[in-house]
Amino acid sequence: LLKKLEKLHDEIELAGGWSIDAKVRKVAQQLNLELDAKFATLSGGVKRRALLARAIVSEPDLLLLDEPTNHLDIVQIQWLESYLENFPGSVIFISHDRRFVERLARRVVEIDRGQLLSWHGSYQNYLKRQQKLLLEQEEQFKLEDKKLASEEAWIRKGIKARRTRDQGRVRALQKLRETRRARRSKMGDVNINVDSELISGKRVFEVEGLSYQYSDQTPLIKNFSCEVCRGDKIAIVGANGCGKSTLVKLLLKELPPSSGRIHQGTKIQLAYFDQLQQQLDENMTLLDFVGEGRTQIEVAGTQRHIMGYLQDFLFSPQAVRSPIKVLSGGERNRLILAKILSKPANLLVLDEPTNDLDIET
């Protein structure tokens, strides 16, 4: 029995079992996780952080990370970057966070129009070489299109094309047509316009002595005063759970303050981007969600058909009739942007708007 215990002790020590508890607590602290919380009760963002923590604690040979910086605050992202820089194994990650990619990537693999392209070196090196390749492709496409137009003009003459000695040229034309049909265009950029019919008052918010706390907990916000004026662009930063989203909801009067006063200015037209995507009905089509029964919307003083408007946000005519539940996280965020910007706004309130969005958007 003692020999068995000794062998088991050695196996646990070899696997790092004696130190696992300390590792769990250290990673949980860095990612602001409560170890006693039940996983099923956690929000989507906290669940993602918990899954990231589990992957890190397991110390694998290969880490596969899908948008790891989503729902992390700035300090947590910096910690994760340092951890991955010193990680002894291999890391494959998907990310739209340019700074994260620039700091960590030593090789960039791009999926572009059905092709997998591998670029060795830094992210900046990838950008330069990608731009060069796109310019070369554009020149090649121009030559192919010119050749195709010339051959189409020739085939329309008819008689010569039916001669036996010209059948090779006809086959070459068919190949040119097939190549042109198979060509896939580069995905365009999102066309975002913010339209406002009214100019708001000079003061957008006046806050005096604002405090807020949940039940008997320590106040999240205590005796806070500020003034927000028309034209201000303000970033609210801080650790996860410190009360950033709560402050936004207080300003918008979605929550009543524990004490203090919040005064909203005049002529406010609000567009509010909600990080929790509570506005989404999974079974609605994209067309119904954004259009709300409208076939035409007014953008920057111009009437637009809702189908064309959604194409500005990279949704094809086929996709707009699909239910929201089939969309990826990035597509959902684009859809919310399309909805909130489909109406005039002179006040934008954006809660984590870049989560899941691709770099171009």
Side-chain angles (χ1 to χ4, degrees), residues 171-231:
R171 287 192 293 271
L173 172 58
Q174 290 171 341
K175 189 174 180 180
L176 278 173
R177 288 171 175 170
E178 291 169 5
T179 301
R180 182 64 185 86
R181 280 195 298 269
R183 186 191 303 170
R184 294 172 63 176
S185 299
K186 186 79 174 172
M187 181 178 284
D189 294 329
V190 172
N191 182 19
I192 295 178
N193 289 293
V194 183
D195 182 29
S196 176
E197 295 176 346
L198 292 175
I199 297 175
S200 71
K202 183 178 179 181
R203 288 185 178 88
V204 178
F205 293 113
E206 284 184 283
V207 181
E208 293 181 6
L210 177 67
S211 295
Y212 186 83
Q213 67 184 87
Y214 291 102
S215 62
D216 297 327
Q217 297 178 12
T218 303
L220 278 174
I221 299 163
K222 187 175 181 180
N223 197 28
F224 173 67
S225 299
C226 77
E227 183 178 86
V228 178
C229 295
R230 182 179 65 234

Side-chain angles (χ1 to χ4, degrees), residues 278-343:
Q278 293 170 347
Q279 306 170 46
L280 293 178
D281 180 343
E282 297 274 308
N283 295 313
M284 287 184 73
T285 66
L286 282 62
L287 198 62
D288 292 335
F289 177 73
V290 175
E292 297 179 331
R294 299 172 293 172
T295 57
Q296 299 280 331
I297 61 172
E298 186 173 324
V299 181
T302 304
Q303 287 290 325
R304 299 282 309 280
H305 194 280
I306 189 67
M307 299 280 280
Y309 175 72
L310 283 170
Q311 286 184 60
D312 286 348
F313 289 82
L314 308 184
F315 294 112
S316 69
Q318 296 76 26
V320 300
R321 302 188 186 280
S322 304
I324 291 172
K325 61 186 176 184
V326 306
L327 299 182
S328 68
E331 289 171 326
R332 289 174 183 233
N333 280 3
R334 265 195 280 124
L335 184 67
I336 294 176
L337 282 174
K339 182 180 177 70
I340 69 172
L341 299 178
S342 67
K343 299 175 182 178

Side-chain angles (χ1 to χ4, degrees), residues 81-108:
E81 288 174 344
S82 297
Y83 173 82
L84 294 177
E85 277 188 323
N86 297 305
F87 180 67
S90 301
V91 182
I92 298 175
F93 63 92
I94 298 169
S95 181
H96 296 131
D97 183 334
R98 284 170 292 183
R99 188 186 182 285
F100 187 79
V101 177
E102 284 174 2
R103 180 167 176 183
L104 292 174
R106 302 294 175 265
R107 176 181 171 193
V108 177

Side-chain angles (χ1 to χ4, degrees), residues 258-275:
S258 301
S259 63
R261 184 180 75 89
I262 301 170
H263 175 70
Q264 287 188 359
T266 58
K267 301 178 182 178
I268 297 294
Q269 293 177 314
L270 172 68
Y272 177 31
F273 183 96
D274 177 8
Q275 70 158 322

